[in-house]
């Protein structure tokens, strides 16, 4: 249906296709409603907490974002369909020729090799042959290469045009002969003027050349213009090009033609033609299939008619007539003032300014009569300096802001109110040559996309630039033109995420039976059908439609992404825009309708990777669907994958069938295969756990029902039967919940909840919901337990850590990519590519330091690979009588450094664990053999007889009496019994405290030297603490008033002699292990430091959730709890909490083979400690057992009785004598008893044992952290020495050949034992960088150097990572700064001295020292710690390195900044100055201790002076080493 506006004298008609507009609008409305439904479906996922799962959350979010992006770009495109128009013209109604305006024709060429001169001349001749008065037609050819071949060719073209003016029919043969002669002349001259390196340089550096081509110039051809007809003016222009001036590509050439034509012909209308592609409406070399979519039907038949109904189409590069006035950008009719303004805009040329008012006047001067003056002026206008200080390219002429000068110019003209029209007459007015191979096609589109993206990223972006003269709908459509290239982001999401999800069975679309599936199906089908209708409407076919779908996908995967990347990199100054002309056209494959894939791997690899991934995912997904039978869920992704294969058939054919030169190279296929494998592996990590969980949910419901019946648990049936007569909404919800989660129903029935009546069901509504919430993340474990008829004891979930793991791995990848250019820069120095302006030594040291840091960082990556979180359900444990026994080991060494009263509180808290008393034994190792400890244990046992009933009666927390009474527990006023009992317990506690402390005061009278000698030289003491033993004390008459059963308590002081090595804490633990084996012989052991009390009573039951599980108890060696401290303030200035370890590193190790053994707070399997297969050792192997465990018969006998429940309450003297024998210092000789924590854990992991890390919400153990710098450094020095002992032993983890230890676990242990060696790069950075800054020696790239970016990225990301970790652990920026500061301090002190101690011990120079950390702090220390002040009261051996490094850095920072100010070398020294400033910030407390503080904990003046002298010495040494170079 058409609407025609006619008039008898009208020159053109505009036809509005109303029917087509109505159809388009109807489709848009229905499409919009379907999109709303889709986006609603995506959005409600985030609001549905019951269905929320973290793994699909990532997929859902990315897919939702892709659909939003597609919807947004689709919305921008809709104005094209609202008002489509076509135009009809009536040329016969034009006025007479003399009244017609003049036309200047502009053509541009650049390279006679890539744009053959003969083809260019044919275009010139066709332009001169236009049916238009010759005197009103001027043709200008811009030769950007300034090549003589083109100039000679245009002369021959003028001769050919003059010869063609005769009658065509009569002289056809003559014309054909002349055409052949013309072709031979042009081609001969092209071959003669060979294009070499000099011509290429000339193309970039040549003067301007303007020549008017007429009969006078063609002197050598006497046959030129034999009939002396009027010829169109023909002008050759080669504008000046210099390397020092930008030439602005085609836009610069057009602006030169605009100025020159104004001084020569000055016609008001201009026709712009490309030398080759004359306008892609119809191409003479496109076949019926158009495999590369060169015809671009969607543009010329749909979008441009739609744009013509708004404000007109944009300029499209070629084949457009344009008004000269529109290009000037200035009103030229407003007097002299405006003319002066015109000079500022358009330049100083008088002839050109004069022409501004004459371009409406008919030209009366023939070019044959032109004098040399205008040509000389034209030469000036073509110079490369003319546009300086003018507005050419930004307000006048063709715009320079984008490589697509046409689109940019048209958009800016329309923003000023100009309109344009689109004319598509039946007969093609222009024909061009299309690209006929994939390589040139993709390069061409990449260039176009780069130009469009440039406009989209400018301030003139149509989406935000709002000129009042541009219609709103035209702004929207123009926004689509410049932004549609960003479709590639969504396309990449759709060709990867749904397909990999399909492979692993993760459904991302609704079921076919879901009403939302209709919306997805409608959008997918209607989009394809609409495009098919548009193709058929333009006389295309289904095959043409498939080709256009295919090439759109190819462009989205290649051109769009590369074009946008090219634009962004150009904006950042990292690369030049992709301006590459087409090479020689290949026609053979195009004619056959076959793709020519002889292109760069840059284009091929993404295509082949996607199609290969599509093929693998389709085959694997279909196989999975056939096996599982979930067609309904996976149908949408299956159809999407099948559609991708259908339109990618030519690529599959090329990969597997074709063998010609145009096939995909094998190298591209192999490279793509690597990416496909990596994608599938990555998908395995992301999707597999969720896929298994979904399969369990969909496939195991029947199994669960069978298990319920097998277990005689009929909770579901009973519930439904009881509720059949009720319609209560709450009851219906309960029914749905229990039906949906049979595992929860089963778990509830285990607890004894049997919902048989409505009252019970109503009461169970909240418990059901609570149970569902608790079990939801662990449903897979729940189902596993159900299939075995077991209750749920524990669950491990990595789902809630999956985002962190993904971010960790992404960060690691980026970090590795960033370090590659850093190492390249460092290595280039040694090959002479870095200029070698820096002395060798500092460059070598810094390079080595960076390599060491990188190596340490690589080892540490294993922690972040698979973080794991565990939850336990102790309420599902068996009854107390079936629980295994537990032995608790508490170690103490020095009653002064480890206060006895605090140790007794730890003992009492261990006895107060919520565990059957007859299954709990507590052993205290007193390595000092002090009588004060034994006496204190008597009083502790007495007080425990009061404390334990009190704790059990009122569920007291914390269970440590000291912590409980210090917390000022709020007594509930309504419970009088509690008030009375708490007052009584308070009195008993004070009495207990007084007895222990008073005994310590009496011990102070004893000679300290004798006490120390006794601690190192005493006999073994074994004493069972019970009522009979305590009763000997007259002061302990009122013991065990309630006659409760008490845990077994034993005091052990092993024999120590100066002649025998006692192996520190490891020796004490081994003695406890042997002694306990003949007393209680519990299968599981809890190890505690004497200052680490039990805070919560549930740790034993929580650990038993793993040990009573028959599926894993044979492989679990220990359960590690975190170390937390009660005396840590919010600043934690000494990083005593080790936040980088417990919340971050230990969950990471738990996802591999388990955490390391950490000295305290762990439950361990006794069998694992024996290191011997006891079940395989019978009587025949008794000698082997004796060789391993020693000669004790009772110990050997106990090995086979670990799991027996018998508990020897009455101990004979034989047991005590044997225990004393086991505690002697000679018992371990010629045996294989192992060593302490990290070493023990490493050996157990090497044998295949696993461990778990459990961090419940309530702290199970709390200890006392170091609160002064001296103890913190000593403690870390001791740890460093111990770790390096393992690193320097035969058990070095990196070379461990054990097949039972995972490779990632080996890397974990390697980092643990080697990270103290970080002191080497830390010391290097603390000395070398300040030295080089002080003397102005650059170690890092300039800010303007691209290599600066990876250095900055590594530095910033390395500090943002711990900052993020600090925030994730509830910390702050101050806490992060404190952590960074203590790392620097430890790197300069603890790591150094610990390493020296270990090395000297290995060399036999001295024995490795051991000194327990002092837990007895004074009031001043506590005050400074609470105020966040460092206590610098420590040895000079610790202070001098710290103060020297700070002084050296401060001096270098001041000198470096002064040097940069004087020499203006900020660009060169910025990195080092910034690093020094960073060190200055984190060293502020040290500077404060040096210069400002006056208290006792300040840094002594003597230390400051010594450090200053040492720093000056370092600077002097640096001068001799560095500056003499």
């Amino acid at each position: 249906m058409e609407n025609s506006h006619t008039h008898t004298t009208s020159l053109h008609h505009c036809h509005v296709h109303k029917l087509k507009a109505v159809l388009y609008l109807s489709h848009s409305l229905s499409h919009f409603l379907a999109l709303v439904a889709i986006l609603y479906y995506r959005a409600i996922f985030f609001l549905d907490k019951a269905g929320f799962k973290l793994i699909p959350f990532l997929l859902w979010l990315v897919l939702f974002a892709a659909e939003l992006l597609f919807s947004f770009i689709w919305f921008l495109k809709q104005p094209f369909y609202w008002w489509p128009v076509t135009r009809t013209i009536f040329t016969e109604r034009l006025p007479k020729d003399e009244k017609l305006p003049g036309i200047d024709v502009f053509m541009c060429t650049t390279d006679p090799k890539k744009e053959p001169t003969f083809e260019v001349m044919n275009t010139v001749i066709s332009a001169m042959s236009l049916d238009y008065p010759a005197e009103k037609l001027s043709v200008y050819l811009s030769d950007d290469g300034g090549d003589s071949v083109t100039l000679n060719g245009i002369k021959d073209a003028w001769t050919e045009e003059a010869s063609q003016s005769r009658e065509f029919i009569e002289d056809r043969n003559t014309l054909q002969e002349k055409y052949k002669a013309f072709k031979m002349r042009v081609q001969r001259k092209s071959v003669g003027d060979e294009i070499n390196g000099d011509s290429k340089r000339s193309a970039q550096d040549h003067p301007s050349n303007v020549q008017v081509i007429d009969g006078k110039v063609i002197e050598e051809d006497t046959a030129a213009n034999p009939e002396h007809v009027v010829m169109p003016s023909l002008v050759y222009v080669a504008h000046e090009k210099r390397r020092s001036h930008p030439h602005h590509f085609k836009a610069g050439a057009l602006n030169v033609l605009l100025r020159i034509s104004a001084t020569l012909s000055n016609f008001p209308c201009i026709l712009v033609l490309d030398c080759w592609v004359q306008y892609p409406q119809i191409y003479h070399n496109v076949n019926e299939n158009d495999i590369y979519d060169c015809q671009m039907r969607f543009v010329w038949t749909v979008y441009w008619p739609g744009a013509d109904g708004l404000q007109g189409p944009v300029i499209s590069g070629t084949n457009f007539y344009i008004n000269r006035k529109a290009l000037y950008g200035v009103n030229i009719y407003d007097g002299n003032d405006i003319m002066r303004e015109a000079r500022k805009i358009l330049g100083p040329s008088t002839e050109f300014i004069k022409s501004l008012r004459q371009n409406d006047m008919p030209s009366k001067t023939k070019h044959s009569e032109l004098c040399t003056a205008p040509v000389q002026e034209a030469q000036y206008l073509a110079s490369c300096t003319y546009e300086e200080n003018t507005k050419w390219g930004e307000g006048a002429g063709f715009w320079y802001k984008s490589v697509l000068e046409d689109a940019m110019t048209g958009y800016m003209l329309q923003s000023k109110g100009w309109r344009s029209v689109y004319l598509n007459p039946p007969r093609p007015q222009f024909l061009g040559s299309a690209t006929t191979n994939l390589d040139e096609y993709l390069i061409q589109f990449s260039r176009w996309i780069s130009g469009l993206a440039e406009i989209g990223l400018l301030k003139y972006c149509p989406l935000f630039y709002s000129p009042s003269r541009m219609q709103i709908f035209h702004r929207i459509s123009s926004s689509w033109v410049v932004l549609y290239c960003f479709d590639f982001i969504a396309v990449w999401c759709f060709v990867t995420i749904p397909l990999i999800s399909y492979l692993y069975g993760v459904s991302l679309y609704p079921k076919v039976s879901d009403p939302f599936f209709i919306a997805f199906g409608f959008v997918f089908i209607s989009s394809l059908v609409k495009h098919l209708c548009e193709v058929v409407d333009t006389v295309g076919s289904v095959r043409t439609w498939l080709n256009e779908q295919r090439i759109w996908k190819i462009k989205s995967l290649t051109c769009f992404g590369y074009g946008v990347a090219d634009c962004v990199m150009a904006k950042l100054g990292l690369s030049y825009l992709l301006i590459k002309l087409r090479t020689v056209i290949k026609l053979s494959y195009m004619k056959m309708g076959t793709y020519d894939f002889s292109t760069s791997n840059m284009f091929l690899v993404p295509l082949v990777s996607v199609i290969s991934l599509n093929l693998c995912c389709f085959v694997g997904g279909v196989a999975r669907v056939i096996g599982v039978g979930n067609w309904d869920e996976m149908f949408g992704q299956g159809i999407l994958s099948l559609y991708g294969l259908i339109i990618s058939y030519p690529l599959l054919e090329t990969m597997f069938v074709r063998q010609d030169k145009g096939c995909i190279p094998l190298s591209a296929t192999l490279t793509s295969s690597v990416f496909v494998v990596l994608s599938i592996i990555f998908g395995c990590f992301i999707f597999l756990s969720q896929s298994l969980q979904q399969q369990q949910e969909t496939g195991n419901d029947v199994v669960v029902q069978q298990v319920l019946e097998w277990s005689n648990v009929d909770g579901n049936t009973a519930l439904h039967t009881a509720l059949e007569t009720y319609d209560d909404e709450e009851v219906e919800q309960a029914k749905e919940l229990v039906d949906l989660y049979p595992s929860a129903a089963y778990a509830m029935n285990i607890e004894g909840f049997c919902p048989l009546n409505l009252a019970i069901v109503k009461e169970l509504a909240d418990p059901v919901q609570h149970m569902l919430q608790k079990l939801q993340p662990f449903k897979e474990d729940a189902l596993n337990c159900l299939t075995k008829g077991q209750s749920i004891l524990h669950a491990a979930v990595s789902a809630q850590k999956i985002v962190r793991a993904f971010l960790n791995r992404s960060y690691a990848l980026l970090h590795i990519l960033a370090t590659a250019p850093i190492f390249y820069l460092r290595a280039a120095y040694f090959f002479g590519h870095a200029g070698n302006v820096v002395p060798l030594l500092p460059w070598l040291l810094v390079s080595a330091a960076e390599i060491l840091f990188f190596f340490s960082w690589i080892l540490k990556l294993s922690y972040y690979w698979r973080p794991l979180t565990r939850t336990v359900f102790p309420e599902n444990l068996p009854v107390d009588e079936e629980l295994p026994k537990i032995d608790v080991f508490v170690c103490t060494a020095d009653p002064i450094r480890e206060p006895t009263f605090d140790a007794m509180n730890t003992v009492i808290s261990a006895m107060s664990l919520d565990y059957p008393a007859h299954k709990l034994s507590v052993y205290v190792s007193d390595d000092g053999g002090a009588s004060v400890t034994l006496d204190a244990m008597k009083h502790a046992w007495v007080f425990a007889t009061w404390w334990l009933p009190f704790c059990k009666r009122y569920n007291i927390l914390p269970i440590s009496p000291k912590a409980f009474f210090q917390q000022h527990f709020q007594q509930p006023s309504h419970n009088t019994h509690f008030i009375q009992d708490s007052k009584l317990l308070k009195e008993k506690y004070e009495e207990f405290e007084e007895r222990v402390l008073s005994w310590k005061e009496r011990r102070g009278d004893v000679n300290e030297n004798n006490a120390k000698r006794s601690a190192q030289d005493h006999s073994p003491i074994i004493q069972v603490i019970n009522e009979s033993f305590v009763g000997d004390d007259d002061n302990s008459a009122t013991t065990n008033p309630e006659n409760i059963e008490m845990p077994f308590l034993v005091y052990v002081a092993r024999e120590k002699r100066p002649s025998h090595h006692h192996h520190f804490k490891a020796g004490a633990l081994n003695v406890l292990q042997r002694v306990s084996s003949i007393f209680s012989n519990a299968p599981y052991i809890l190890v505690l430091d004497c200052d680490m009390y039990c805070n919560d009573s549930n740790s034993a039951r929580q650990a038993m959730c793993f040990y009573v599980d028959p599926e894993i108890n044979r492989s679990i060696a220990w359960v590690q709890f975190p170390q937390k401290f009660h005396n840590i303030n919010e600043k934690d200035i000494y990083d005593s909490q080790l936040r980088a370890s417990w919340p971050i590193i230990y969950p990471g190790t738990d996802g591999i083979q388990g955490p390391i053994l950490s000295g305290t707070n762990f439950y361990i399997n006794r069998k694992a400690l024996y290191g011997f297969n006891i079940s395989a050792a019978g009587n025949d192997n008794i000698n082997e057992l004796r060789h391993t465990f020693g000669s004790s018969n009772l110990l050997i006998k106990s090995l086979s009785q670990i799991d027996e429940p018998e508990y020897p309450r009455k101990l004979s003297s034989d047991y005590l004598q044997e225990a004393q024998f086991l505690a002697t210092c000679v018992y371990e000789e010629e045996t294989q008893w192992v060593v302490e924590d990290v070493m023990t854990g490493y050996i157990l992991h090497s044998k295949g044992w696993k461990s778990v890390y459990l961090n419940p919400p309530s702290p199970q153990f709390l200890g006392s952290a170091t609160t002064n710098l001296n103890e913190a450094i000593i403690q870390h020095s001791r740890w460093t020495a111990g770790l390096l002992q393992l690193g320097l032993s035969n058990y070095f983890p990196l070379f461990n050949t054990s097949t039972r230890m995972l490779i990632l676990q080996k890397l974990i242990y390697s980092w643990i034992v080697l990270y103290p060696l970080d002191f080497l790069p830390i010391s290097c950075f603390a000395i070398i960088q300040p030295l080089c800054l002080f003397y102005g020696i650059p170690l890092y790239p300039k800010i303007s150097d691209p290599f600066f970016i990876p250095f900055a990225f590594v530095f910033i990301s390395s500090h943002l990572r711990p900052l993020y970790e600090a925030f994730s652990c509830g910390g702050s920026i101050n806490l992060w700064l404190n952590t960074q500061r203590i790392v620097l301090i430890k790197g300069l002190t603890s790591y150094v001295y610990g390493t020296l101690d270990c090395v000297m011990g290995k060399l036999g120079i001295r024995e490795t020292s051991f000194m327990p950390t002092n837990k007895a702090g004074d009031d001043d220390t506590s005050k400074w710690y609470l105020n966040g002040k460092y206590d610098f009261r420590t040895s000079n051996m610790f202070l001098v390195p710290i103060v020297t490094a700070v002084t050296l850095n401060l001096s270098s920072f001041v000198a470096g900044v002064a040097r940069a100010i004087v020499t203006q070398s900020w660009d060169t020294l910025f990195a080092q100055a910034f690093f020094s400033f960073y060190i200055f910030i984190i060293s502020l407390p040290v500077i404060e201790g040096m210069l400002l503080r006056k208290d006792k904990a300040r840094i002594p003046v003597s230390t400051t002076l010594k450090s200053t002298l040492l720093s000056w010495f370092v600077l002097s040494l640096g001068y001799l080493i560095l500056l003499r170079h």
Side-chain angles (χ1 to χ4, degrees), residues 1044-1186:
I1044 64 169
E1045 187 174 15
M1046 295 288 290
F1048 193 54
L1049 181 60
V1050 181
Y1051 170 84
V1052 178
R1054 59 181 173 135
E1055 182 184 17
K1056 294 176 72 174
R1057 303 299 179 190
S1059 58
H1060 291 76
H1061 200 294
H1062 56 86
H1063 300 294
F1064 311 116
K1065 181 180 175 182
L1069 288 174
N1070 284 338
V1071 168
L1072 291 182
Q1073 184 182 350
R1074 295 194 294 268
V1075 171
S1076 63
S1077 66
I1078 66 171
F1079 282 170
S1080 52
N1081 202 24
Y1084 304 106
I1085 299 168
L1086 167 62
V1087 178
L1088 294 175
D1089 282 346
C1090 66
D1091 63 315
M1092 190 67 67
Y1093 64 81
C1094 300
N1095 180 66
D1096 196 306
S1097 61
N1098 288 321
S1099 67
R1101 293 183 179 272
Q1102 291 177 357
M1104 291 306 109
C1105 288
F1106 298 97
Y1107 286 127
V1108 302
D1109 185 351
E1111 294 295 322
I1112 66 171
N1113 65 354
R1114 294 176 181 269
S1115 62
I1116 298 298
W1118 70 90
V1119 178
Q1120 180 69 57
F1121 288 86
Q1123 296 181 22
K1124 298 183 179 181
F1125 305 96
H1126 61 83
N1127 60 336
I1128 296 293
N1129 65 358
E1130 66 279 358
K1131 296 179 181 178
D1132 192 13
I1133 58 176
Y1134 301 116
D1135 189 31
S1136 301
Q1137 192 58 65
L1138 297 175
R1139 285 175 172 80
S1141 298
W1142 300 111
I1144 306 298
I1145 293 179
Y1146 274 67
T1149 60
D1150 201 11
I1152 303 174
Q1153 200 171 343
I1156 65 173
L1157 201 59
S1158 300
T1160 184
N1161 302 359
F1162 61 87
Y1163 289 82
I1164 192 167
N1165 190 330
R1166 185 183 291 269
K1167 291 180 180 179
L1169 288 174
Y1170 284 146
F1172 191 88
N1173 190 351
I1174 302 168
S1175 59
N1179 294 328
D1180 296 336
N1181 295 327
I1182 191 67
N1183 291 330
E1184 185 176 354
L1185 290 174
R1186 291 182 182 276

Side-chain angles (χ1 to χ4, degrees), residues 1183-1197:
N1183 291 330
E1184 185 176 354
L1185 290 174
R1186 291 182 182 276
H1187 175 70
T1188 302
F1189 300 107
S1191 58
S1192 172
N1193 292 327
L1194 288 179
L1195 176 61
I1196 299 298
K1197 180 180 178 181

Side-chain angles (χ1 to χ4, degrees), residues 1319-1441:
F1319 82 88
L1320 293 172
I1322 290 175
S1323 301
C1324 180
F1325 285 124
I1327 297 174
I1328 301 300
Q1329 290 201 107
L1331 274 179
C1332 292
L1333 176 63
F1334 189 89
Y1335 292 112
I1337 299 174
L1339 293 176
Y1340 299 99
K1342 298 178 180 179
I1343 300 179
S1344 56
D1345 192 330
F1347 278 102
F1348 180 80
I1349 297 176
F1351 279 94
F1353 174 82
V1354 169
F1355 180 82
I1356 295 173
S1357 66
S1358 299
H1359 288 78
L1360 288 181
R1361 175 65 174 271
L1363 178 61
Y1364 162 74
E1365 292 174 352
F1367 281 129
S1368 66
C1369 301
S1372 61
I1373 294 180
N1374 283 334
L1375 183 65
W1376 168 73
L1377 283 173
N1378 289 330
T1379 303
Q1380 297 295 307
R1381 184 179 303 116
I1382 206 66
V1383 167
L1384 179 61
I1385 292 174
K1386 289 189 294 186
L1388 295 174
T1389 56
S1390 303
Y1391 297 171
V1392 177
Y1393 293 120
T1395 302
L1396 291 176
D1397 188 57
C1398 173
V1399 171
M1400 287 191 295
K1402 286 291 182 181
L1403 297 176
I1405 299 176
R1406 57 167 291 179
E1407 292 187 2
T1408 303
S1409 61
F1410 175 87
M1411 182 181 294
T1413 306
N1414 190 356
K1415 305 301 191 306
D1418 54 43
D1419 294 337
D1420 288 339
T1421 298
S1422 300
K1423 179 184 69 175
W1424 289 318
Y1425 178 77
L1426 293 175
N1427 291 330
K1429 299 290 186 180
Y1430 282 81
D1431 182 1
F1432 291 108
R1433 294 180 298 174
T1434 184
S1435 171
N1436 273 351
M1437 66 179 292
F1438 296 142
L1439 284 181
V1440 169

Side-chain angles (χ1 to χ4, degrees), residues 214-222:
D214 53 19
K216 296 179 180 179
V217 178
I218 318 297
E219 296 175 355
E220 71 279 5
D221 194 340
T222 57

Side-chain angles (χ1 to χ4, degrees), residues 1184-1259:
E1184 185 176 354
L1185 290 174
R1186 291 182 182 276
H1187 175 70
T1188 302
F1189 300 107
S1191 58
S1192 172
N1193 292 327
L1194 288 179
L1195 176 61
I1196 299 298
K1197 180 180 178 181
S1198 70
L1199 298 179
S1200 59
Q1201 299 175 344
I1202 293 178
D1203 294 323
E1204 293 183 5
E1206 182 181 355
Y1207 185 82
R1209 292 295 286 173
K1210 296 181 179 180
L1211 300 174
S1212 64
S1213 59
D1214 294 338
Y1215 279 91
L1216 291 174
Q1217 290 178 0
E1218 189 71 12
Q1220 291 193 357
F1221 170 58
L1222 293 171
T1224 59
C1225 58
V1226 297
Y1227 182 81
E1228 292 184 359
E1229 293 179 356
E1230 299 181 358
T1231 63
Q1232 297 180 2
W1233 286 93
V1234 295
V1235 294
E1236 194 191 351
D1237 51 27
V1238 175
M1239 184 68 176
T1240 303
Y1242 171 70
I1243 297 297
L1244 294 180
H1245 276 146
S1246 299
K1247 295 179 178 180
W1249 289 92
K1250 295 181 180 180
S1251 57
V1252 297
Y1253 175 66
L1254 186 59
N1255 185 15
S1258 175

Side-chain angles (χ1 to χ4, degrees), residues 1131 1133-1134 1269 1374 1377-1382 1384-1385 1427-1432 1439 1442-1443 1446 1478-1493 1495 1497-1499:
K1131 296 179 181 178
I1133 58 176
Y1134 301 116
L1269 186 63
N1374 283 334
L1377 283 173
N1378 289 330
T1379 303
Q1380 297 295 307
R1381 184 179 303 116
I1382 206 66
L1384 179 61
I1385 292 174
N1427 291 330
K1429 299 290 186 180
Y1430 282 81
D1431 182 1
F1432 291 108
L1439 284 181
I1442 300 171
V1443 179
V1446 173
Y1478 163 74
I1479 298 297
F1480 170 76
I1481 293 298
I1482 66 174
S1483 302
L1484 283 176
V1486 181
I1487 297 174
E1488 180 187 22
M1490 292 165 53
L1491 306 175
L1492 301 180
R1493 287 174 58 180
D1495 51 54
R1498 62 164 296 172
I1499 296 175

